[in-house]
Amino acid sequence: ALQDLDTDGGKDDALDIEDRFSRLGLLGATDLTEVTTLAGRIEYGLAAFGDLEQGADLNLRQAYLEFDGPLGNLRIGTQDLLWHRYVRGAYLSDALDSLRHGAIRDDDLVQYNQQLDRFRFGAELSFEGEDGEDINQGSLGIEYKTDVYKLQAAVLKDNLGEDKGTLTGLRGWWFRDAWAWSAFYHRSSEDFDLYFVSGGHVGARTASCNDQERDTGGIYGRYRNGTHQYHARVAAFDCEADSAEESSKFEYINYINDQARLWASFEQISSASGVPEPSIGEVGFRFDF
C-alpha cells in the first residue's frame, strides 16, 4: 500500500510503501476417521514491522496443529487469540484498524471451540513455563448467530506477574441485504498489563492511562454493490485521565476478481489532550493465491 501520513505538524510526516501483513504459508489436512480431521498450518510474514524492508527476516505468524471432529475443534500452537477471533477482528483492509484492545496472536496456546446449533463456545489457555508461571492467561468466548444478526462476547484473564487483571469485550453484527452494521466495546481493568493496550497505531499518548480502566468502543457500517464496497468505522479510546482519542476511517474497495482487489482509505485521528492529530491516506492492492 502507498501511504501518506500527515502528523499535524509533527516530524514523522511520510509518503511511504507499507506492507499490509503479506504472508506465505503451508496448510495440510488428512482424515483420521470418517468424522475426524487432523490439520496443520505454518505461516510467516514477509516483512518486519509492517515495512517492505530489503533483507527483512521472515516472522512467524502461525504454527499449529488442529483436530476437528464431533466433540469440537482443538488447536495447539502459535495462533490467533480467542479474543481476536470473537471480538477484535479487523474491519478494514490494512488489518490495523486502530483503537482496539488486546493482541492478535500468541505462542503456546491451547484453544477449543464447539458449535452447537446457533451457538459457538470457545476456551483458551496460554502455557509458557519459562517465565515462572504455568498458565499466562485464560480466555472464554461465546457467539450466537442467525441469518440477520450475530452477537459475540469474550473475556481474557491475566495470570502473569503481580497484576492479574481482566480484558472484556462485546461485539454485535446486523445484516440486511447489501448492508452490514457492527458495534464493539472493549474494557481493560486497571491491573491488566498482559497485552499492550493502544489508543492508535500512529503513537497515541496513553501513558497517563497506566493503572486505570481503559475503554474502547466503535461503530462500523458496510455497503456492497457488485464489485464495489464502501465501509466506514468510527471509534474512541478513553480512560480516567484526559487522554481520550477518536478515529474516523472511510474505505472504498474494488473487487477485481476473487483473488485481487484495490482499496483506497482515509483516516483522521483526534485527541482531547492536545497532541498532534494525524491523518492517513492510503491506496493499496491485495492478491491472494
Side-chain angles (χ1 to χ4, degrees):
L2 176 65
Q3 182 190 91
D4 181 19
L5 173 62
D6 181 352
T7 57
D8 189 28
K11 299 180 180 180
D12 297 323
D13 290 7
L15 181 65
D16 200 5
I17 298 292
E18 295 285 337
D19 177 72
R20 287 305 177 220
F21 302 99
S22 298
R23 59 262 197 192
L24 183 67
L26 296 172
L27 176 66
T30 184
D31 293 331
L32 299 179
T33 69
E34 293 183 354
V35 294
T36 305
T37 301
L38 171 65
R41 179 171 184 168
I42 185 167
E43 179 183 274
Y44 283 87
L46 300 183
F49 306 111
D51 296 322
L52 291 172
E53 299 175 0
Q54 184 176 2
D57 295 331
L58 296 176
N59 56 92
L60 181 64
R61 290 170 53 92
Q62 301 195 74
Y64 61 81
L65 286 176
E66 180 177 41
F67 300 88
D68 192 78
L71 298 179
N73 177 277
L74 181 68
R75 285 185 181 181
I76 303 172
T78 301
Q79 58 185 298
D80 292 345
L81 290 167
L82 189 79
W83 169 266
H84 178 75
R85 296 178 68 185
Y86 278 78
V87 298
R88 190 185 186 270
Y91 294 115
L92 302 163
S93 294
D94 63 9
L96 294 172
D97 201 6
S98 58
L99 301 189
R100 294 175 299 147
H101 274 30
I104 296 177
R105 287 174 298 276
D106 205 347
D107 302 321
D108 302 314
L109 294 178
V110 176
Q111 189 178 112
Y112 171 79
N113 284 274
Q114 173 65 288
Q115 186 81 37
L116 296 174
D117 194 21
R118 296 183 181 276
F119 284 95
R120 180 165 65 105
F121 305 90
E124 175 184 85
L125 291 175
S126 170
F127 298 92
E128 290 188 88
E130 297 88 346
D131 52 31
E133 301 286 353
D134 293 329
I135 297 175
N136 278 2
Q137 62 94 352
S139 300
L140 295 173
I142 187 171
E143 173 186 288
Y144 181 78
K145 182 179 180 180
T146 72
D147 294 336
V148 179
Y149 64 89
K150 178 167 61 175
L151 302 175
Q152 300 167 298
V155 58
L156 187 153
K157 180 67 171 67
D158 182 3
N159 191 53
L160 184 64
E162 296 181 359
D163 295 325
K164 302 181 185 297
T166 57
L167 178 64
T168 55
L170 299 170
R171 183 167 63 171
W173 289 86
W174 181 68
F175 308 98
R176 183 177 177 85
D177 300 325
W179 293 89
W181 298 92
S182 180
F184 72 92
Y185 174 75
H186 300 161
R187 163 167 284 197
S188 56
S189 63
E190 66 277 1
D191 54 349
F192 181 83
D193 63 356
L194 178 60
Y195 295 111
F196 177 61
V197 175
S198 172
H201 64 269
V202 295
R205 307 304 197 267
T206 59
S208 58
C209 289
N210 292 339
D211 301 321
Q212 298 182 28
E213 290 184 346
R214 289 146 291 184
D215 301 271
T216 303
I219 298 175
Y220 166 81
R222 179 182 73 212
Y223 175 74
R224 176 80 180 262
N225 181 15
T227 62
H228 306 283
Q229 178 170 302
Y230 310 86
H231 56 174
R233 189 267 299 123
V234 294
F237 170 88
D238 203 359
C239 67
E240 296 176 11
D242 185 19
S243 60
E245 188 179 31
E246 297 178 354
S247 166
S248 300
K249 187 167 185 177
F250 172 82
E251 182 176 83
Y252 163 75
I253 301 176
N254 187 313
Y255 290 90
I256 302 171
N257 54 40
D258 292 340
Q259 294 177 287
R261 72 184 72 169
L262 289 167
W263 81 81
S265 65
F266 178 80
E267 179 176 13
Q268 178 66 56
I269 294 180
S270 59
S271 175
S273 53
V275 300
E277 300 181 338
S279 60
I280 306 168
E282 189 168 279
V283 177
F285 175 76
R286 171 172 169 170
F287 177 68
D288 299 313
F289 61 90

